[in-house]
């Protein structure tokens, strides 16, 4: 049974146009949409990206530094960059794909390229669990991490069901602050990551991080 249920992409209560990935690309190429527009294509709908705050961005930066220090060759880490599925072009916070980087000069990575997709979640937690989770599972992206800032844990989703009527992930494992998360690439564990190394450090009243 899938962890993610229901259809979060309910259409508006009036007729609108749903876009294909090709139509979305044409709007970018023709200048109708711009790189600086905070938009992404999710299940055919052009939607605003979730807002980011300092803890969110700091967590992305910490995760980037950690993963770059342990990723074996030929794996590459992409930051806030688009991926392309059949009906969507989301921009995950981090994605691990096989290199070289030149492989993606003419197209974004697709689900067949992606080993792990990672989202950092605070106010976006429901969106990342339900909406993004359904899209990534539909594309059969094998491993999906949510760095959950609300509950100070990392949620690891695996066993995607793929393009069925109710796509989702069949397995979820939660890793708390004092635990290690296995980093699995192409079904091989290549490292273990400390949860506390990725989460924001608690701050003292003057706003500075506490010392361990």
């Amino acid at each position: 049974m899938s962890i993610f249920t229901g259809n979060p992409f309910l259409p508006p209560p009036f007729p609108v146009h749903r876009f294909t990935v090709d139509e979305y690309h044409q709007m970018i190429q023709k200048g109708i949409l711009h790189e600086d527009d905070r938009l992404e294509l999710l299940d055919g709908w052009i939607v605003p990206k979730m807002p980011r705050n300092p803890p969110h961005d700091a967590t992305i930066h910490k995760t980037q530094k950690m993963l770059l220090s342990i990723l074996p060759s030929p794996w590459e880490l992409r930051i806030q960059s688009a991926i392309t599925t059949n009906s969507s072009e989301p921009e995950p916070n981090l994605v691990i794909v096989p290199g070289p980087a030149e492989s993606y000069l003419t197209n974004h990575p697709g689900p067949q390229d992606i080993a792990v997709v990672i989202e950092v979640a605070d106010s976006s937690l429901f969106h990342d669990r339900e909406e993004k989770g359904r899209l990534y599972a539909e594309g059969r992206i094998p491993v999906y991490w949510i760095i959950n800032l609300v509950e100070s844990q990392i949620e690891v989703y695996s066993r995607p069901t793929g393009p069925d009527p109710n796509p989702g992930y069949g397995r979820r494992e939660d890793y708390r602050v004092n635990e290690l998360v296995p980093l699995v690439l192409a079904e091989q564990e290549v490292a273990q990551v400390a949860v506390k190394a990725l989460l924001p450090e608690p701050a003292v009243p003057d706003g500075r991080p506490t010392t361990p």
Side-chain angles (χ1 to χ4, degrees):
M1 181 177 178
S2 168
I3 291 168
F4 298 108
T5 59
N7 181 7
F9 293 107
L10 295 176
F14 47 83
V16 295
H17 180 72
R18 213 167 171 187
F19 296 94
T20 66
V21 171
D22 286 342
E23 289 171 333
Y24 182 67
H25 288 171
Q26 289 173 26
M27 285 189 285
I28 295 172
Q29 292 166 4
K30 293 178 180 178
I32 299 170
L33 300 176
H34 302 89
E35 290 183 359
D36 293 337
D37 293 337
R38 291 196 52 76
L39 302 169
E40 57 187 347
L41 182 71
L42 300 181
D43 204 27
W45 307 109
I46 297 176
V47 300
K49 296 180 189 175
M50 300 297 286
R52 304 199 307 262
N53 58 32
H56 182 281
D57 283 358
T59 302
I60 293 173
H61 183 65
K62 291 182 70 172
T63 305
Q64 175 186 359
K65 288 179 64 177
M66 170 62 71
L67 292 179
L68 286 175
S69 72
I70 62 175
L71 273 183
S73 178
W75 296 99
E76 298 271 347
L77 183 66
R78 292 169 63 91
I79 313 298
Q80 314 263 57
S81 298
I83 64 173
T84 302
T85 70
N86 286 338
S87 63
S88 304
E89 196 156 276
E91 298 183 14
N93 296 141
L94 304 105
V95 174
I96 300 175
V97 297
E102 289 75 16
S103 302
Y104 311 105
L105 289 176
T106 59
N107 57 273
H108 299 307
Q112 71 281 358
D113 303 307
I114 297 167
V116 180
V117 62
I118 302 172
E119 298 283 7
V120 176
D122 39 26
S123 61
S124 65
L125 183 58
F126 177 84
H127 174 79
D128 290 328
R129 280 177 174 167
E130 298 295 328
E131 299 177 7
K132 291 289 184 73
R134 188 174 71 85
L135 290 177
Y136 298 150
E138 184 179 40
R140 290 191 180 276
I141 294 174
V143 180
Y144 174 34
W145 286 18
I146 296 178
I147 302 178
N148 179 344
L149 303 186
V150 178
E151 298 166 310
S152 297
Q153 65 184 23
I154 295 178
E155 302 169 8
V156 177
Y157 297 87
S158 57
R159 300 179 185 170
T161 61
D164 62 27
N166 185 29
Y169 283 94
R171 183 176 184 180
R172 168 180 164 176
E173 297 175 281
D174 294 347
Y175 295 86
R176 304 296 292 178
V177 68
N178 291 320
E179 296 182 312
L180 300 174
V181 185
L183 178 62
V184 178
L185 306 176
E187 301 184 350
Q188 298 291 323
E189 182 178 320
V190 300
Q192 292 196 333
V193 180
V195 173
K196 63 183 177 183
L198 304 186
L199 295 174
E201 296 179 12
V204 292
D206 66 0
R208 292 176 300 179
T210 58
T211 54

